[in-house]
Amino acid sequence: HIIVSHQGKRETGSPVLPSSREAFAVYYADLTSTYLNIAQQARAKGLKVKREGEDFSDYSKHLGSAVYLGE
């Protein structure tokens, strides 16, 4: 069950939805890993938008926000 439900939602390709604590934990760990990879890719691109003296990446539709590029 954990393996087939790790994508969490039918829209993202999961044949079944998580229904145990362990399956939810794996789903959210997978989702967190995905978001961190997207944020890392934004940092690697180094695209910057100046906002009030701070450096941010371009808006990421996957994250729903920009990524802070500062140290």
Side-chain angles (χ1 to χ4, degrees):
H1 171 75
I2 293 170
I3 293 170
V4 297
S5 67
H6 83 277
Q7 291 176 318
K9 298 178 183 177
R10 296 201 191 278
E11 303 87 50
T12 56
S14 185
V16 296
L17 302 178
S19 61
S20 68
R21 293 180 301 173
E22 294 84 359
F24 281 113
V26 170
Y27 163 62
Y28 283 112
D30 188 41
L31 186 64
T32 300
S33 175
T34 299
Y35 286 163
L36 290 173
N37 284 330
I38 292 169
Q40 182 60 36
Q41 289 173 6
R43 288 183 59 87
K45 286 182 183 178
L47 303 173
K48 295 184 179 184
V49 176
K50 288 286 189 184
R51 287 190 211 146
E52 300 175 20
E54 303 292 340
D55 293 332
F56 290 87
S57 71
D58 290 336
Y59 177 83
S60 167
K61 67 178 180 176
H62 298 291
L63 297 176
S65 69
V67 175
Y68 179 64
L69 300 175
E71 297 294 324

